[in-house]
Amino acid sequence: MHQRLPSVMFMAISCIAFSLIISTITAAQETQIKYARKSISYVAAVLPIGTGGKLRHEQENYLLKVIQSEIEMPRFDYNPLPDNLLSEFKREISSRNVRSLDAVVEAMNEILVPEIMRIVDYEKEMRALNLVSEADRHSFVVEKAKETGITAEDLEAIMNSAYIYVPVISRVNVQDDKKNNTATCSIEGGILWFSVKAKEVGASVELLVKKEAEGSGFAKLDGKFSYEGRRLNGSQYAFATAAKTFARNLKVATQEIPEFQLTNPLSNTGSGWVEFPLGKNEGLGIDDKYIIAEFYEEEDGSLRQEELGMVRVSRVADNRTERKDSRARTVIGGSFERGMLALEHPRLPIDLSFRFAVLPLSVEANTNHPNLKFEEDAKGNIYAGQLWFNYNLARSTNLSQFFVSLYGEAGAGTLDEGTAFEEDLPAGFYWGAGLGLVKKFYVNRLHLGLEALGSYANYSFGGTNNSDEDWEWKLATIGLTLNGNLEIALGYDVNLGGGVSYRLFAPSSDWTYSLSDEEQDLSQWEDIPELDFGGLGFQVYFTWSLPSLSYDPLAAARGAIGH
């Protein structure tokens, strides 16, 4: 009687659960009302196809390491697939000369899926035999393990898994250019996710989604780098940073899959904030974005999702041992209510900003050089386009909207009152770069940004004199840039901003003057005009939160430096 009752209860609960799952999938159209942890099996190897088959053993191992570090998020429980299943699959892939993700899916369905289904069907066999006790189940698994050659632990892992992922590399191109002293690497591939579905007539393994990604790396070939505790040369650094970028893009692609998206109803709300029961146990981080949505039932019984706004996580609860709620501050929308749904909106921790800037430029008129004269102090402007990369440090510092920023800029400038070879000065070419820290403060859609950066500035102008000789004046210096900006969120990922800039540069007369491509000696000239990049400027811009990026700008900049 004691064995019969648990069996009946187990069957009843299973039927109810199965009905609820089917109705939820149909009604919610693949949107989870509340995230449940997923059990994942994975191929503990990178599957190389096409030119990806040229990977060296140490490169394949490193790729697997960085992919696992990004994909294996706290929201999942993990179990590797047995080695003997994997070995046969890889041999078949190699013999078929597979070159595309679609071909991998076909081979997976022919070779690996039948074996996985056979193992998953053992669960059905156990139910048919009414094996309820742990001892009976263990004996059954051990017996099947002897028949298949797979360990009992691996059998249990596969039977309990709901999803399987396979990382695939389709193209790897590493080039060492000794002439230009550069090393470049590009990696292309993707990840295949399969769903293990239990049905009344048996189990099935179906392709859930395939996601593609790429990553690139760059370095000086003779550079020496310390990276993740290892000493690397230029070629190794280019490969490592390309692999890291590739894996990071795969992570965001995985987070976007509806079945893996973190979701939960709001548990509490207030003026400008919401709370929901997610936290460290699911890998929640400061500044993670969540869309607030509500569902409405249509006439056909399906649910329509209506997005009401977006919030940004400001406090992460430690819910690893007990239920605790994390808090997020409102960015878009408001008047949220308990029971509304928070949906994860994954993005890279990198914002890309396109800016147009008007920068100061001036010259002090103290010169006696015959080929560059200023009768009086001259003022002008530089009109530049800027490209900014803002790396969010919130997860590592626990400070919301705290960034390290890297930018590059290029444009044209003009100086009045100056002459060269008795002619008015032509427009000059300007370029610069900078690195520094940014802190943003936000109230709903409005963001106040404070930026402090070390800056490099380079200005040059030139022409041809009456003797058909080419000439050029060029000056470069470093200084400090302080920016104050005001932004408004136009959408979940796009901000419009503008602000003022104050540049602190010491006036410099450290010119380089060349005539007919030969650098001229300026040491005999005492009164050379002093160029000053300091003063007040302005900028307007768009900022975009990136879903993917094929390269890491900061790593590429470090690679270009060579250290």
Side-chain angles (χ1 to χ4, degrees):
M1 179 64 182
H2 291 290
Q3 291 184 348
R4 178 65 176 168
L5 183 57
S7 177
V8 172
M9 291 179 64
F10 175 81
M11 292 178 64
I13 293 172
S14 298
C15 291
I16 295 171
F18 181 81
S19 300
L20 288 174
I21 291 171
I22 295 300
S23 62
T24 300
I25 291 175
T26 302
Q29 298 175 331
E30 296 185 333
T31 299
Q32 304 173 98
I33 300 302
K34 182 177 181 180
Y35 181 79
R37 292 182 67 83
K38 307 297 191 299
S39 184
I40 306 296
S41 284
Y42 61 91
V43 174
V46 174
L47 190 62
I49 62 175
T51 59
K54 299 178 181 178
L55 279 172
R56 296 195 303 271
H57 181 67
E58 64 272 17
Q59 290 177 325
E60 185 175 341
N61 286 343
Y62 181 75
L63 263 171
L64 178 63
K65 174 185 173 183
V66 296
I67 289 173
Q68 288 180 336
S69 69
E70 295 289 345
I71 296 297
E72 297 184 5
M73 294 169 273
R75 68 188 69 185
F76 299 137
D77 296 318
Y78 297 93
N79 307 294
L81 289 175
D83 290 339
N84 60 343
L85 288 183
L86 176 62
S87 299
E88 180 184 350
F89 182 49
K90 292 186 69 174
R91 282 195 300 269
E92 186 65 24
I93 288 291
S94 178
S95 66
R96 294 186 183 191
N97 195 25
V98 170
R99 293 184 175 273
S100 69
L101 290 181
D102 289 333
V104 174
V105 173
E106 183 179 342
M108 179 91 175
N109 284 325
E110 292 180 15
I111 304 164
L112 211 53
V113 167
E115 288 298 315
I116 295 172
M117 286 180 61
R118 183 163 62 91
I119 295 171
V120 173
D121 277 342
Y122 291 156
E123 184 71 31
K124 177 187 174 185
E125 189 174 342
M126 281 192 288
R127 290 198 300 269
L129 295 173
N130 198 26
L131 302 180
V132 178
S133 71
E134 287 298 322
D136 290 341
R137 289 175 61 89
H138 181 70
S139 298
F140 176 86
V141 169
V142 170
E143 185 63 32
K144 291 299 180 181
K146 293 177 182 178
E147 295 177 9
T148 60
I150 300 173
T151 67
E153 290 78 10
D154 287 336
L155 276 177
E156 285 277 16
I158 295 173
M159 285 190 292
N160 292 329
S161 293
Y163 300 92
I164 299 168
Y165 79 81
V166 182
V168 179
I169 299 297
S170 58
R171 180 177 177 272
V172 176
N173 183 23
V174 181
Q175 291 187 338
D176 295 340
D177 187 343
K178 295 182 179 179
K179 180 180 179 180
N180 296 310
N181 190 32
T182 60
T184 58
C185 176
S186 60
I187 299 174
E188 296 177 6
I191 188 168
L192 304 175
W193 281 96
F194 294 84
S195 175
V196 181
K197 296 187 177 181
K199 301 179 180 179
E200 291 182 344
V201 295
S204 67
V205 179
E206 302 174 4
L207 176 66
L208 177 66
V209 69
K210 62 177 181 179
K211 293 285 188 177
E212 298 185 49
E214 59 183 328
S216 300
F218 171 83
K220 279 188 175 180
L221 186 58
D222 62 358
K224 301 296 181 183
F225 303 89
S226 177
Y227 187 74
E228 295 183 337
R230 300 185 298 158
R231 296 293 296 174
L232 304 178
N233 59 34
S235 184
Q236 292 170 329
Y237 178 80
F239 177 83
T241 54
K244 189 72 173 179
T245 303
F246 172 78
R248 187 170 56 195
N249 288 334
L250 284 184
K251 176 181 179 179
V252 175
T254 295
Q255 290 174 307
E256 290 176 335
I257 299 173
E259 285 81 357
F260 305 147
Q261 184 184 40
L262 291 180
T263 62
N264 234 314
L266 302 183
S267 56
N268 201 3
T269 64
S271 178
W273 57 268
V274 301
E275 291 181 343
F276 46 82
L278 293 171
K280 291 184 177 180
N281 193 48
E282 293 79 23
L284 197 69
I286 296 290
D287 279 354
D288 285 356
K289 293 180 179 180
Y290 278 76
I291 294 171
I292 306 302
E294 202 164 23
F295 292 89
Y296 298 92
E297 187 173 359
E298 301 284 26
E299 292 182 359
D300 61 0
S302 63
L303 294 180
R304 172 175 58 86
Q305 176 182 317
E306 180 177 333
E307 296 180 358
L308 305 175
M310 189 264 287
V311 298
R312 185 182 287 123
V313 174
S314 58
R315 185 187 69 203
V316 178
D318 187 354
N319 62 341
R320 289 171 292 188
T321 57
E322 60 180 319
R323 171 178 166 152
K324 291 183 179 179
D325 294 346
S326 296
R327 176 168 289 197
R329 294 181 60 186
T330 302
V331 177
I332 296 175
S335 300
F336 302 133
E337 298 177 1
R338 293 180 62 182
M340 291 180 177
L341 194 62
L343 304 168
E344 183 181 24
H345 185 64
R347 287 296 180 265
L348 292 176
I350 302 175
D351 290 346
L352 178 65
S353 183
F354 300 97
R355 300 190 180 190
F356 173 75
V358 179
L359 307 174
L361 185 66
S362 61
V363 165
E364 293 185 10
N366 54 339
T367 176
N368 59 5
H369 196 284
N371 296 334
L372 182 63
K373 296 181 179 180
F374 288 89
E375 299 299 332
E376 57 184 69
D377 291 349
K379 290 186 178 296
N381 289 304
I382 296 171
Y383 302 93
Q386 299 178 330
L387 183 63
W388 286 62
F389 296 94
N390 304 314
Y391 289 73
N392 196 327
L393 303 178
R395 279 183 174 264
S396 56
T397 64
N398 213 34
L399 294 174
S400 177
Q401 294 293 281
F402 184 54
F403 303 84
V404 58
S405 293
L406 170 71
Y407 76 88
E409 58 186 354
T414 58
L415 284 169
D416 299 329
E417 312 299 336
T419 61
F421 293 97
E422 308 304 326
E423 294 184 358
D424 291 340
L425 289 183
F429 174 71
Y430 170 82
W431 70 274
L435 179 69
L437 298 175
V438 174
K439 181 70 174 78
K440 294 183 180 182
F441 307 87
Y442 62 96
V443 179
N444 294 93
R445 289 180 181 264
L446 293 179
H447 296 59
L448 173 65
L450 302 178
E451 304 170 346
L453 309 104
S455 298
Y456 170 85
N458 184 302
Y459 186 72
S460 62
F461 53 89
T464 303
N465 62 21
N466 293 331
S467 301
D468 288 332
E469 295 175 308
D470 293 330
W471 59 270
E472 183 185 49
W473 288 85
K474 180 169 60 178
L475 185 147
T477 186
I478 59 174
L480 179 66
T481 298
L482 303 174
N483 295 332
N485 299 313
L486 187 64
E487 300 178 11
I488 183 170
L490 301 181
Y492 301 150
D493 301 314
V494 178
N495 287 3
L496 172 65
V500 296
S501 171
Y502 192 80
R503 293 191 147 195
L504 296 170
F505 281 80
S508 173
S509 58
D510 191 18
W511 289 92
T512 299
Y513 171 53
S514 61
L515 185 65
S516 297
D517 294 327
E518 291 186 9
E519 186 173 325
Q520 305 296 304
D521 182 13
L522 297 176
S523 60
Q524 60 180 311
W525 303 98
E526 296 181 358
D527 296 326
I528 302 294
E530 290 188 334
L531 188 66
D532 188 1
F533 295 100
L536 193 65
F538 308 91
Q539 63 269 342
V540 292
Y541 58 90
F542 282 97
T543 296
W544 179 34
S545 296
L546 298 172
S548 66
L549 188 64
S550 62
Y551 65 97
D552 185 326
L554 202 58
R558 183 183 173 193
I561 295 172
H563 296 284

